[in-house]
């Protein structure tokens, strides 16, 4: 009879172990999904930031290029300088 009690306790222990392992695996999967989602979000925002920085860099270079040439006093309705070449008048 004592072997029956030992077998029952071992079976309950195995069932408990399986339940704990399944819950642990579910938690690990959930954490992995959250990590992947966060990584994608950070990469997307980093890409957008790089694109904005590139646009600002292009705008600054264009502004410097326009600012280095001779100014003829031509402006549009917003006060921005219009780059007019002498042959285009």
């Amino acid at each position: 009879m004592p072997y029956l009690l030992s077998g029952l306790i071992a079976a309950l222990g195995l069932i408990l172990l399986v339940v704990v392992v399944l819950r642990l695996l579910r938690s690990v999967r959930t954490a992995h999904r959250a990590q992947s989602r966060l990584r994608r979000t950070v990469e997307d925002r980093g890409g957008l930031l790089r694109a904005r920085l590139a646009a600002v860099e292009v705008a600054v270079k264009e502004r410097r290029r326009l600012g280095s040439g001779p100014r003829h006093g031509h402006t549009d309705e917003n006060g921005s300088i219009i780059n007019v070449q002498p042959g285009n008048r």
Side-chain angles (χ1 to χ4, degrees):
M1 259 328 183
Y3 63 90
L4 186 62
L5 184 60
S6 297
L8 184 63
I9 290 174
L12 287 175
L14 285 174
I15 291 172
L16 182 64
L17 179 65
V18 168
V19 169
V20 168
V21 167
L22 289 177
R23 285 188 180 189
L24 179 66
L25 289 176
R26 188 181 313 143
S27 297
V28 168
R29 263 187 269 133
T30 302
H32 182 67
R33 273 190 244 129
Q35 179 187 12
S36 297
R37 197 175 322 131
L38 178 63
R39 185 184 318 115
R40 281 193 307 268
T41 301
V42 169
E43 287 173 356
D44 288 347
R45 289 184 180 191
L48 289 173
L49 183 60
R50 282 190 295 276
R52 287 178 183 161
L53 288 174
V56 167
E57 186 177 331
V58 168
V60 167
K61 285 181 181 179
E62 186 175 315
R63 180 77 179 211
R64 286 182 184 164
R65 185 179 56 84
L66 289 177
S68 65
R71 293 187 181 173
H72 298 289
H74 299 285
T75 58
D76 63 4
E77 63 273 0
N78 296 325
S80 299
I81 296 173
I82 299 173
N83 189 13
V84 178
Q85 301 297 327
N88 294 342
R89 291 185 192 176

